[in-house]
Amino acid sequence: MSPSPSALDRLADASWPVVTLFVLLFLGGVYLRASRIDPEFGVIVVAFLVMNGGLIALGGWAAGRKED
């Protein structure tokens, strides 16, 4: 169920609205799958993924900034 490497390369070069749409669709799909078990479980899974994604993004931003 993972996207192909070429799709990930195109996503890396995409503008932020396209990436935002892709992430929202992914999180919506995750919520729908997890909420089949229990609706609260879907919220917890999405919150977990959002927090992890934020930490990864913060780490990428910190690693990519230039030192003065």
Side-chain angles (χ1 to χ4, degrees):
M1 194 164 133
S2 64
S4 66
S6 64
L8 292 177
D9 288 338
R10 285 190 304 237
L11 192 60
D13 295 332
S15 63
W16 71 267
V18 173
V19 174
T20 303
L21 179 64
F22 180 80
V23 169
L24 288 176
L25 288 173
F26 173 76
L27 290 175
V30 167
Y31 173 76
L32 289 176
R33 288 185 64 111
S35 66
R36 290 180 189 166
I37 298 170
D38 188 19
E40 290 83 16
F41 181 65
V43 171
I44 290 170
V45 168
V46 169
F48 176 76
L49 290 174
V50 167
M51 287 188 297
N52 281 332
L55 288 175
I56 291 169
L58 182 63
W61 172 78
R65 46 183 195 147
K66 296 184 170 50
E67 305 247 349
D68 290 332

Coordinates of all heavy atoms in Angstrom, one line a residue:
M1 N 0.8 -1.2 0.0 CA 0.0 0.0 0.0 C 0.9 1.3 0.0 O 0.4 2.4 0.1 CB -0.9 0.0 1.2 CG -2.0 1.0 1.1 SD -3.3 0.6 2.3 CE -3.5 2.2 3.0
S2 N 2.1 1.1 -0.2 CA 3.0 2.3 -0.2 C 3.1 2.8 -1.6 O 3.0 2.1 -2.6 CB 4.4 1.9 0.3 OG 5.0 1.0 -0.6
P3 N 3.3 4.2 -1.8 CA 3.4 4.7 -3.1 C 4.7 4.4 -3.8 O 5.7 4.0 -3.1 CB 3.3 6.2 -2.9 CG 3.6 6.4 -1.5 CD 3.2 5.2 -0.8
S4 N 4.7 4.4 -5.1 CA 5.9 4.1 -5.8 C 7.0 5.2 -5.6 O 6.7 6.3 -5.3 CB 5.6 4.0 -7.3 OG 5.3 5.2 -7.8
P5 N 8.3 4.8 -5.8 CA 9.4 5.8 -5.6 C 9.3 7.0 -6.5 O 9.6 8.1 -6.1 CB 10.6 5.0 -5.9 CG 10.3 3.6 -5.6 CD 8.8 3.4 -6.0
S6 N 8.8 6.8 -7.7 CA 8.6 7.9 -8.6 C 7.6 8.9 -8.1 O 7.7 10.1 -8.3 CB 8.3 7.5 -10.0 OG 7.1 6.8 -10.1
A7 N 6.5 8.4 -7.5 CA 5.5 9.2 -6.9 C 6.0 10.1 -5.8 O 5.7 11.2 -5.6 CB 4.3 8.4 -6.5
L8 N 6.9 9.4 -5.0 CA 7.5 10.2 -3.9 C 8.5 11.2 -4.4 O 8.6 12.3 -3.8 CB 8.2 9.2 -2.9 CG 7.3 8.3 -2.2 CD1 8.1 7.3 -1.3 CD2 6.3 9.0 -1.3
D9 N 9.2 11.0 -5.5 CA 10.1 12.0 -6.1 C 9.3 13.2 -6.6 O 9.6 14.3 -6.4 CB 10.9 11.4 -7.2 CG 12.0 10.4 -6.7 OD1 12.3 10.6 -5.5 OD2 12.4 9.6 -7.5
R10 N 8.1 12.9 -7.2 CA 7.3 14.0 -7.7 C 6.7 14.8 -6.6 O 6.6 16.0 -6.6 CB 6.2 13.4 -8.6 CG 6.6 13.0 -10.0 CD 5.5 12.7 -10.8 NE 4.6 11.7 -10.2 CZ 4.3 10.5 -10.7 NH1 4.7 10.2 -11.9 NH2 3.5 9.7 -10.1
L11 N 6.4 14.1 -5.5 CA 5.8 14.8 -4.3 C 6.8 15.6 -3.6 O 6.5 16.7 -3.1 CB 5.2 13.8 -3.3 CG 4.4 14.3 -2.2 CD1 3.2 15.0 -2.8 CD2 3.9 13.2 -1.3
A12 N 8.1 15.2 -3.7 CA 9.2 16.0 -3.1 C 9.4 17.3 -3.8 O 9.8 18.3 -3.2 CB 10.5 15.2 -3.1
D13 N 9.1 17.4 -5.1 CA 9.2 18.6 -5.9 C 8.0 19.4 -6.0 O 7.9 20.4 -6.7 CB 9.7 18.2 -7.3 CG 11.1 17.6 -7.3 OD1 11.9 17.9 -6.3 OD2 11.5 16.8 -8.2
A14 N 6.9 18.9 -5.4 CA 5.6 19.6 -5.6 C 5.5 20.8 -4.7 O 6.2 21.0 -3.7 CB 4.5 18.6 -5.2
S15 N 4.5 21.7 -5.0 CA 4.3 22.9 -4.2 C 3.6 22.5 -2.9 O 3.0 21.4 -2.8 CB 3.5 23.9 -5.0 OG 2.2 23.4 -5.3
W16 N 3.6 23.4 -1.9 CA 3.0 23.0 -0.6 C 1.5 22.8 -0.7 O 1.0 22.0 0.1 CB 3.4 24.1 0.4 CG 2.7 25.4 0.3 CD1 3.2 26.5 -0.4 CD2 1.4 25.8 0.8 NE1 2.3 27.5 -0.3 CE2 1.2 27.1 0.4 CE3 0.5 25.1 1.5 CZ2 0.1 27.8 0.7 CZ3 -0.7 25.8 1.9 CH2 -0.9 27.1 1.5
P17 N 0.7 23.5 -1.5 CA -0.8 23.1 -1.6 C -1.0 21.7 -2.0 O -1.9 21.0 -1.5 CB -1.4 24.1 -2.6 CG -0.4 25.2 -2.6 CD 0.9 24.7 -2.4
V18 N -0.2 21.2 -3.0 CA -0.3 19.8 -3.4 C 0.1 18.8 -2.3 O -0.6 17.8 -2.1 CB 0.5 19.6 -4.7 CG1 0.5 18.1 -5.1 CG2 0.1 20.5 -5.8
V19 N 1.1 19.1 -1.6 CA 1.6 18.3 -0.5 C 0.5 18.3 0.6 O 0.2 17.2 1.2 CB 3.0 18.7 0.0 CG1 3.4 17.9 1.2 CG2 4.0 18.5 -1.1
T20 N 0.0 19.4 0.9 CA -1.1 19.5 1.9 C -2.3 18.7 1.6 O -2.8 18.0 2.4 CB -1.5 21.0 2.1 OG1 -0.3 21.7 2.5 CG2 -2.5 21.1 3.2
L21 N -2.7 18.8 0.3 CA -3.8 18.0 -0.1 C -3.5 16.5 0.0 O -4.4 15.7 0.5 CB -4.2 18.3 -1.6 CG -5.4 17.6 -2.2 CD1 -6.6 17.9 -1.4 CD2 -5.5 17.9 -3.6
F22 N -2.3 16.1 -0.4 CA -2.0 14.7 -0.3 C -2.0 14.2 1.1 O -2.5 13.1 1.4 CB -0.6 14.5 -0.9 CG -0.1 13.1 -0.9 CD1 -0.5 12.2 -1.8 CD2 0.8 12.7 0.1 CE1 0.0 10.8 -1.8 CE2 1.3 11.4 0.1 CZ 0.9 10.4 -0.8
V23 N -1.4 15.0 2.0 CA -1.4 14.6 3.5 C -2.8 14.5 4.0 O -3.1 13.6 4.8 CB -0.5 15.6 4.2 CG1 -0.6 15.4 5.7 CG2 1.0 15.5 3.8
L24 N -3.6 15.5 3.7 CA -5.0 15.5 4.2 C -5.8 14.3 3.7 O -6.5 13.6 4.5 CB -5.7 16.8 3.9 CG -5.3 18.0 4.6 CD1 -6.0 19.2 4.1 CD2 -5.5 17.8 6.1
L25 N -5.6 13.9 2.5 CA -6.2 12.7 1.9 C -5.7 11.4 2.6 O -6.5 10.5 3.0 CB -6.0 12.6 0.4 CG -6.8 13.6 -0.4 CD1 -6.4 13.5 -1.9 CD2 -8.3 13.3 -0.3
F26 N -4.4 11.4 2.9 CA -3.8 10.3 3.6 C -4.4 10.2 5.0 O -4.8 9.1 5.4 CB -2.3 10.4 3.6 CG -1.6 9.4 4.4 CD1 -1.5 8.1 4.0 CD2 -1.1 9.7 5.7 CE1 -0.9 7.1 4.8 CE2 -0.5 8.7 6.5 CZ -0.4 7.4 6.0
L27 N -4.4 11.3 5.7 CA -4.9 11.2 7.1 C -6.4 10.9 7.1 O -6.8 10.2 8.1 CB -4.6 12.6 7.8 CG -3.1 12.9 8.1 CD1 -3.0 14.3 8.7 CD2 -2.6 11.8 9.0
G28 N -7.1 11.4 6.1 CA -8.6 11.0 6.1 C -8.7 9.5 5.9 O -9.6 8.9 6.5
G29 N -7.9 8.9 5.0 CA -8.0 7.5 4.8 C -7.6 6.7 6.1 O -8.2 5.7 6.4
V30 N -6.6 7.2 6.7 CA -6.2 6.5 8.0 C -7.3 6.6 9.0 O -7.6 5.6 9.7 CB -4.9 7.2 8.5 CG1 -4.6 6.7 9.9 CG2 -3.7 6.8 7.6
Y31 N -7.9 7.8 9.1 CA -9.0 7.9 10.1 C -10.1 7.0 9.8 O -10.7 6.3 10.7 CB -9.5 9.4 10.1 CG -10.7 9.5 11.0 CD1 -10.6 9.5 12.4 CD2 -12.0 9.6 10.4 CE1 -11.7 9.6 13.2 CE2 -13.1 9.7 11.2 CZ -13.0 9.6 12.6 OH -14.1 9.7 13.4
L32 N -10.5 6.9 8.5 CA -11.6 6.0 8.1 C -11.3 4.5 8.4 O -12.2 3.8 8.9 CB -12.0 6.2 6.7 CG -12.6 7.5 6.3 CD1 -12.8 7.6 4.8 CD2 -13.9 7.7 7.0
R33 N -10.1 4.1 8.2 CA -9.7 2.7 8.5 C -9.7 2.5 10.0 O -10.1 1.5 10.5 CB -8.4 2.4 7.9 CG -8.4 2.3 6.4 CD -7.1 1.8 5.9 NE -6.7 0.5 6.4 CZ -6.7 -0.6 5.6 NH1 -7.0 -0.5 4.3 NH2 -6.4 -1.7 6.1
A34 N -9.1 3.4 10.7 CA -9.0 3.2 12.2 C -10.3 3.4 12.9 O -10.5 2.8 13.9 CB -7.9 4.2 12.8
S35 N -11.2 4.2 12.4 CA -12.5 4.4 13.0 C -13.4 3.3 12.8 O -14.5 3.2 13.5 CB -13.1 5.7 12.5 OG -13.5 5.6 11.2
R36 N -13.1 2.3 12.0 CA -13.9 1.1 11.9 C -13.8 0.3 13.2 O -14.7 -0.4 13.6 CB -13.4 0.2 10.8 CG -13.7 0.8 9.4 CD -13.1 -0.2 8.4 NE -13.2 0.4 7.0 CZ -12.6 -0.1 6.0 NH1 -11.8 -1.1 6.1 NH2 -12.7 0.5 4.8
I37 N -12.7 0.4 13.9 CA -12.5 -0.3 15.2 C -13.3 0.5 16.2 O -14.1 0.0 16.9 CB -11.0 -0.4 15.5 CG1 -10.3 -1.2 14.5 CG2 -10.8 -0.9 16.9 CD1 -8.8 -1.2 14.7
D38 N -13.0 1.8 16.3 CA -13.7 2.7 17.2 C -13.4 4.1 16.8 O -12.2 4.5 16.5 CB -13.1 2.5 18.7 CG -13.9 3.2 19.7 OD1 -15.0 3.6 19.5 OD2 -13.3 3.4 20.8
P39 N -14.4 5.0 16.8 CA -14.2 6.4 16.3 C -13.1 7.1 17.1 O -12.3 7.9 16.6 CB -15.5 7.1 16.5 CG -16.5 6.0 16.4 CD -15.8 4.8 17.0
E40 N -13.0 6.9 18.4 CA -12.0 7.6 19.2 C -10.6 7.0 18.9 O -9.6 7.8 18.9 CB -12.2 7.4 20.7 CG -13.4 8.1 21.2 CD -14.8 7.4 21.0 OE1 -14.7 6.2 20.7 OE2 -15.8 8.1 21.1
F41 N -10.5 5.8 18.5 CA -9.2 5.2 18.1 C -8.7 5.9 16.8 O -7.5 6.1 16.7 CB -9.4 3.7 17.9 CG -8.1 3.0 17.5 CD1 -7.0 3.0 18.4 CD2 -7.9 2.4 16.3 CE1 -5.8 2.4 18.0 CE2 -6.8 1.8 15.9 CZ -5.7 1.8 16.8
G42 N -9.7 6.2 15.9 CA -9.3 6.9 14.7 C -8.7 8.3 15.0 O -7.7 8.7 14.4
V43 N -9.3 9.0 15.9 CA -8.8 10.3 16.3 C -7.4 10.2 17.0 O -6.5 11.0 16.7 CB -9.7 11.0 17.3 CG1 -9.1 12.3 17.9 CG2 -11.0 11.3 16.6
I44 N -7.2 9.2 17.8 CA -5.9 9.0 18.4 C -4.8 8.6 17.4 O -3.7 9.2 17.5 CB -6.0 7.9 19.5 CG1 -6.8 8.4 20.7 CG2 -4.6 7.4 20.0 CD1 -7.2 7.3 21.7
V45 N -5.1 7.8 16.4 CA -4.1 7.4 15.4 C -3.8 8.6 14.6 O -2.6 8.8 14.3 CB -4.7 6.2 14.6 CG1 -3.8 6.0 13.3 CG2 -4.8 5.0 15.4
V46 N -4.7 9.4 14.2 CA -4.4 10.6 13.4 C -3.6 11.6 14.2 O -2.7 12.2 13.7 CB -5.7 11.2 12.8 CG1 -5.5 12.6 12.2 CG2 -6.4 10.3 11.8
A47 N -4.0 11.8 15.4 CA -3.2 12.7 16.3 C -1.8 12.2 16.4 O -0.8 13.0 16.4 CB -3.9 12.8 17.6
F48 N -1.6 10.9 16.6 CA -0.2 10.4 16.7 C 0.6 10.6 15.4 O 1.7 11.0 15.5 CB -0.3 8.9 17.0 CG 1.0 8.1 17.0 CD1 1.8 8.3 18.1 CD2 1.4 7.4 15.9 CE1 3.0 7.6 18.1 CE2 2.6 6.7 16.0 CZ 3.4 6.8 17.1
L49 N 0.0 10.4 14.3 CA 0.7 10.6 13.0 C 1.0 12.1 12.8 O 2.0 12.4 12.3 CB -0.2 10.1 11.8 CG -0.3 8.6 11.8 CD1 -1.2 8.2 10.6 CD2 1.1 7.9 11.5
V50 N 0.1 13.0 13.2 CA 0.3 14.4 13.0 C 1.5 14.9 13.9 O 2.3 15.6 13.5 CB -1.0 15.2 13.3 CG1 -0.7 16.7 13.5 CG2 -2.0 15.0 12.2
M51 N 1.5 14.4 15.1 CA 2.6 14.8 16.0 C 3.9 14.2 15.5 O 4.9 15.0 15.6 CB 2.3 14.3 17.5 CG 1.2 15.0 18.2 SD 1.1 14.6 19.9 CE 0.6 12.9 19.8
N52 N 4.0 13.0 15.1 CA 5.2 12.4 14.5 C 5.6 13.2 13.3 O 6.8 13.5 13.1 CB 5.0 11.0 14.2 CG 5.2 10.1 15.5 OD1 5.8 10.5 16.4 ND2 4.5 9.0 15.5
G53 N 4.7 13.5 12.4 CA 5.0 14.2 11.2 C 5.6 15.6 11.5 O 6.5 16.1 10.9
G54 N 5.0 16.2 12.5 CA 5.5 17.6 12.9 C 6.9 17.5 13.5 O 7.7 18.4 13.2
L55 N 7.2 16.5 14.2 CA 8.5 16.3 14.8 C 9.5 16.0 13.6 O 10.7 16.5 13.6 CB 8.6 15.2 15.8 CG 7.9 15.5 17.1 CD1 7.9 14.3 18.0 CD2 8.7 16.7 17.8
I56 N 9.1 15.2 12.7 CA 10.0 14.9 11.5 C 10.3 16.2 10.7 O 11.4 16.5 10.3 CB 9.4 13.8 10.7 CG1 9.5 12.5 11.5 CG2 10.2 13.7 9.3 CD1 8.8 11.4 10.8
A57 N 9.2 17.0 10.5 CA 9.3 18.2 9.7 C 10.2 19.2 10.5 O 11.0 19.9 9.9 CB 8.0 18.8 9.5
L58 N 10.1 19.3 11.8 CA 10.9 20.2 12.6 C 12.4 19.8 12.5 O 13.3 20.6 12.4 CB 10.4 20.2 14.0 CG 11.1 21.1 15.0 CD1 11.0 22.6 14.6 CD2 10.6 21.0 16.4
G59 N 12.6 18.5 12.6 CA 14.0 18.0 12.5 C 14.6 18.2 11.1 O 15.7 18.6 11.0
G60 N 13.8 18.1 10.1 CA 14.3 18.4 8.7 C 14.5 19.9 8.5 O 15.5 20.3 7.9
W61 N 13.7 20.7 9.1 CA 13.9 22.2 9.0 C 15.2 22.5 9.8 O 16.0 23.3 9.3 CB 12.7 22.9 9.6 CG 13.0 24.4 9.8 CD1 12.9 25.3 8.8 CD2 13.3 25.1 11.0 NE1 13.2 26.5 9.3 CE2 13.4 26.4 10.6 CE3 13.5 24.7 12.3 CZ2 13.8 27.4 11.6 CZ3 13.9 25.6 13.2 CH2 14.0 27.0 12.8
A62 N 15.4 22.0 11.0 CA 16.6 22.3 11.8 C 17.8 21.8 11.1 O 18.9 22.5 11.2 CB 16.4 21.7 13.2
A63 N 17.8 20.6 10.5 CA 19.0 20.1 9.8 C 19.3 20.9 8.5 O 20.5 21.0 8.1 CB 18.8 18.7 9.4
G64 N 18.3 21.5 7.9 CA 18.5 22.2 6.6 C 18.8 23.7 6.7 O 19.2 24.3 5.8
R65 N 18.7 24.3 7.9 CA 19.0 25.7 8.0 C 20.5 26.0 8.0 O 21.3 25.2 8.5 CB 18.3 26.3 9.2 CG 18.4 25.7 10.5 CD 17.7 26.4 11.6 NE 18.2 25.8 12.8 CZ 18.4 26.3 13.9 NH1 18.0 27.6 14.0 NH2 18.9 25.7 14.9
K66 N 20.8 27.2 7.6 CA 22.2 27.5 7.5 C 22.7 28.3 8.7 O 21.9 29.1 9.3 CB 22.4 28.5 6.3 CG 22.1 27.8 5.0 CD 22.4 28.8 3.8 CE 22.4 28.2 2.5 NZ 21.6 27.4 1.9
E67 N 23.8 27.9 9.2 CA 24.4 28.6 10.4 C 25.0 29.9 9.9 O 25.7 30.1 8.9 CB 25.5 27.7 11.0 CG 25.0 26.3 11.3 CD 24.9 26.1 12.7 OE1 25.5 26.8 13.5 OE2 24.3 25.0 13.1
D68 N 24.8 31.0 10.7 CA 25.3 32.3 10.5 C 26.7 32.4 11.0 O 27.2 32.0 11.9 CB 24.5 33.4 11.0 CG 23.1 33.5 10.3 OD1 23.1 33.1 9.1 OD2 22.2 33.9 10.9

